[in-house]
Amino acid sequence: MKHCKFMLLVSLLISSGALAETVLLHNIKGYGFNAERELVPFSALAFDDASGKVLARGDQTLQTQYVDARRIDGGGKTVLPGLIDGHGHLLGLGEELSQADLRGQPSEEAAVKVVADFARSQPQAAWIKGRGWNQVLWDSKQFPTTALLDEAVPDRPVWLTRIDGHAGWANSKALALAGITKDTLDPPGGKIIRDADGNPTGVLMNNARSYIARVLPATSTEDNISALHAAFQQLLSLGITSVHDAGISSELATLYQQLATDGKLPLRIYAMLSSRNADLADWLASGIWQEPADWLSIRSVKIYGDGALGSRGAALLSDYSDQPDHTGLLVTQPDALTQIMQLTINAGFQANVHAIGDRANRLVLDRFEQLATPEQRLAGRHRIEHAQIVAPDDIPRFKTLNVLPSMQAVHATSDKNMAGDRLGVARLRGAYAWRSFIDQGSIIVGGSDFPVELANPFHGLHASVTRQDQQNQPEGGWLPEQRLTLVEALRSFTIDAAYGAFQEATMGTLAPGSRADFILIDQDIFNIDPSRLWQVQTEQTWVHGKLRFQQAAD
């Protein structure tokens, strides 16, 4: 089935450029936005598939205005602007699709069985890699060790990334190849988990993962292109037409530029350069890179503040409630954080800083206040990526400093069973506080953080509106006072995500003159029970006026 869908996508990409004409999509339930971010319903949409722009939207009278247009009967389907994921990792998603999938496994033993089965299916692989384990779901709640992995895969190195991407689990063979022993020091911003005798147990947190990264086999350009195509295929099938790729290498940036120049990007990419690139200063000096039709924009930098909450790497102002004398990790030390943020701001690039814990968020807000003038902050649309746990006194500073919270609604429903343990009740007042941000006038850039979470944007819409998981738990929603309305949630995945990329004039609205990026879905999201939002399916995805995905017939 996956192969058939891929071939369907390829055929659509090839055939979509055959004709250039005005197209009228009618008999639809359309929803878009105007310049004031107000919801605008319509029943017909006219667009030019040569320029890839919307010509008009309205009712059946458009049929008399565009009498020569090629007509497509939408069959009463609901049409939305193409959905924008404001924080994802394209290459990571593509790579994950070819690795052992440990997401949702209920125990360490179950996860190891998946790895063992995967290893048997990949006899040619020099390394066995996987992603998605989460000890919070296990009865033990404890980090795993090398022991079971060594029994399951004794002959090859194993490296398994935690679901949040901020920790990894290795077997003894991988630790040995990386030279990690009892005497290996924790790097700044990283931690090697050890037993009572100081021996490494197999879990490496945050910057300690670099020890493994140094010995992993290098991937080729062909490998990366293959992984990207797999990611493109999946995202288009989910109704995602644009992605803010959060933290890319120089090599990937160059590859994106080549794909964009050659017209080989099937969706739009707003790329954030990783602050870890050794040649970052050279990229900044060369200035903003903008493909004229919005296929690729490189004008921002992803900067790394702290780790993640699930692995207790988020930097907190006071101790973790479930681990006294531990306040998390700063993966970029304060002086270095200041230097990178200043370099980025001075170059006229957008600074997008990962900050999950309240200490990290405060450090970043302090630096935006100190390093940028009010004019620079307004023009820069600088962002804090995640903004998950914010001291209540710091929430108003986002609006005062014109800093955008880039938030992922599914993190709240994934973390709800763990966040209270990590933070205690009092700190939850500033956790996943979407309503607090919206009520003060902040614009939230919505996203998923795939592959940390599943990329499906309807999962994010559901979580935003219900504050519940897909089993409708907890009853009434978790911290329900922070719920969004459906219009607010849809904005975060359309016009507001576009605003976070300086693109609100060209996408996210389906207003005349904007890009003809839209999707047809199987349910009218404004006329179903909110509990069903996560079940919505994308039937067609159009980008730049061309059909890029169509759901295969049953």
Side-chain angles (χ1 to χ4, degrees):
M1 178 61 71
K2 287 184 177 179
H3 178 72
C4 291
K5 285 187 175 180
F6 178 71
M7 293 309 295
L8 174 62
L9 175 64
V10 170
S11 66
L12 289 170
L13 290 175
I14 293 171
S15 63
S16 62
L19 298 173
E21 57 188 339
T22 298
V23 182
L24 180 65
L25 177 63
H26 63 97
N27 187 21
I28 56 175
K29 295 179 181 178
Y31 299 98
F33 292 97
N34 60 21
E36 288 71 42
R37 302 167 58 242
E38 298 167 329
L39 192 70
V40 177
F42 54 91
S43 60
L45 182 73
F47 59 93
D48 177 8
D49 71 354
S51 67
K53 291 185 177 181
V54 174
L55 299 173
R57 64 184 177 191
D59 56 24
Q60 66 271 19
T61 60
L62 288 185
Q63 298 195 47
T64 62
Q65 297 178 40
Y66 294 94
V67 292
D68 295 327
R70 176 167 64 94
R71 300 188 182 197
I72 300 176
D73 188 334
K77 296 294 184 180
T78 296
V79 171
L80 301 177
L83 299 175
I84 301 169
D85 194 308
H87 186 111
H89 307 277
L90 277 163
L91 188 58
L93 174 61
E95 290 173 340
E96 183 188 65
L97 294 172
S98 64
Q99 297 177 2
D101 181 7
L102 308 180
R103 189 184 302 271
Q105 293 302 317
S107 65
E108 181 178 353
E109 292 79 7
V112 169
K113 183 181 185 306
V114 171
V115 174
D117 292 343
F118 181 79
R120 282 192 291 272
S121 73
Q122 302 289 324
Q124 79 291 346
W127 280 69
I128 301 301
K129 294 190 286 185
R131 181 166 182 153
W133 62 271
N134 183 1
Q135 85 286 355
V136 173
L137 302 178
W138 305 345
D139 289 340
S140 69
K141 308 294 184 185
Q142 300 300 310
F143 281 129
T145 69
T146 59
L148 293 180
L149 277 185
D150 290 346
E151 291 179 15
V153 189
D155 57 334
R156 286 179 285 176
V158 177
W159 179 238
L160 310 170
T161 302
R162 190 180 184 276
I163 191 167
D164 59 13
H166 287 267
W169 172 20
N171 68 351
S172 294
K173 185 113 179 144
L175 293 179
L177 286 172
I180 298 173
T181 68
K182 182 176 182 178
D183 298 323
T184 304
L185 298 176
D186 290 346
K191 186 176 181 64
I192 300 171
I193 304 299
R194 306 171 191 269
D195 64 19
D197 297 322
N199 296 304
T201 62
V203 172
L204 309 177
M205 290 178 55
N206 292 298
N207 291 354
R209 295 170 299 145
S210 63
Y211 290 127
I212 296 289
R214 294 169 192 161
V215 296
L216 284 171
T219 56
S220 67
T221 299
E222 290 72 21
D223 291 335
N224 289 340
I225 290 175
S226 178
L228 288 173
H229 278 305
F232 295 156
Q233 174 195 353
Q234 183 176 92
L235 295 172
L236 288 167
S237 74
L238 296 172
I240 295 172
T241 59
S242 179
V243 172
H244 300 183
D245 200 347
I248 66 169
S249 67
S250 296
E251 293 76 17
L252 185 53
T254 300
L255 177 56
Y256 281 161
Q257 288 177 328
Q258 188 61 55
L259 292 173
T261 300
D262 293 344
K264 294 181 178 179
L265 288 177
L267 50 71
R268 306 186 192 281
I269 299 173
Y270 183 76
M272 308 178 203
L273 296 165
S274 171
S275 63
R276 293 170 176 157
N277 291 329
D279 59 351
L280 177 63
D282 295 335
W283 279 93
L284 297 178
S286 67
I288 291 170
W289 200 92
Q290 179 69 52
E291 195 279 328
D294 285 331
W295 290 108
L296 176 66
S297 177
I298 303 176
R299 60 175 303 168
S300 61
V301 177
K302 167 74 177 297
I303 304 169
Y304 304 86
D306 61 348
L309 189 65
S311 50
R312 297 187 186 87
L316 302 181
L317 292 166
S318 55
D319 293 350
Y320 275 78
S321 296
D322 57 358
Q323 188 174 340
D325 301 320
H326 179 66
T327 57
L329 296 168
L330 291 174
V331 299
T332 304
Q333 297 306 301
D335 287 348
L337 182 66
T338 301
Q339 182 181 16
I340 296 169
M341 289 180 66
Q342 186 73 83
L343 181 70
T344 301
I345 292 168
N346 288 352
F349 275 60
Q350 182 188 49
N352 298 340
V353 190
H354 167 114
I356 289 182
D358 50 12
R359 178 162 57 116
N361 275 278
R362 181 168 293 176
L363 282 171
V364 175
L365 289 169
D366 287 346
R367 277 151 184 77
F368 278 130
E369 185 170 17
Q370 297 160 6
L371 302 177
T373 65
E375 293 76 18
Q376 285 177 315
R377 292 194 295 267
L378 182 61
R381 301 188 187 181
H382 305 297
R383 296 165 37 169
I384 289 184
E385 303 300 311
H386 309 306
Q388 277 181 224
I389 303 110
V390 183
D393 289 345
D394 284 331
I395 291 177
R397 298 178 68 199
F398 279 77
K399 179 63 175 173
T400 302
L401 298 173
N402 288 304
V403 174
L404 302 178
S406 172
M407 307 177 78
Q408 298 77 47
V410 282
H411 282 330
T413 50
S414 293
D415 293 356
K416 60 183 172 56
N417 295 328
M418 164 271 292
D421 294 337
R422 299 283 190 271
L423 302 172
V425 174
R427 279 184 289 197
L428 289 178
R429 290 189 300 117
Y432 314 88
W434 317 323
R435 169 55 53 197
S436 298
F437 282 108
I438 290 288
D439 284 349
Q440 72 181 11
S442 290
I443 287 177
I444 294 178
V445 177
S448 69
D449 198 13
F450 67 76
V452 174
E453 303 281 357
L454 296 175
N456 193 324
F458 293 100
H459 293 182
L461 292 174
H462 171 263
S464 297
V465 173
T466 68
R467 302 283 294 202
Q468 293 177 318
D469 61 26
Q470 292 166 11
Q471 289 71 48
N472 300 317
Q473 295 297 317
E475 187 174 347
W478 183 64
L479 306 176
E481 66 276 8
Q482 294 293 344
R483 283 187 296 232
L484 301 183
T485 68
L486 181 54
V487 171
E488 291 166 340
L490 184 60
R491 281 188 195 128
S492 75
F493 281 93
T494 53
I495 186 172
D496 288 355
Y499 179 87
F502 306 88
Q503 294 171 333
E504 72 278 9
T506 59
M507 64 184 77
T509 66
L510 289 181
S514 68
R515 303 293 180 196
D517 301 349
F518 58 90
I519 61 176
L520 279 70
I521 56 178
D522 67 344
Q523 300 179 67
D524 181 352
I525 61 172
F526 288 98
N527 286 288
I528 61 173
D529 190 287
S531 66
R532 291 168 48 197
L533 282 168
W534 68 273
Q535 298 172 315
V536 172
Q537 298 286 314
T538 298
E539 297 189 347
Q540 292 184 13
T541 301
W542 294 68
V543 187
H544 209 74
K546 301 290 193 297
L547 182 60
R548 302 284 175 166
F549 167 81
Q550 180 164 308
Q551 190 177 74
D554 294 334

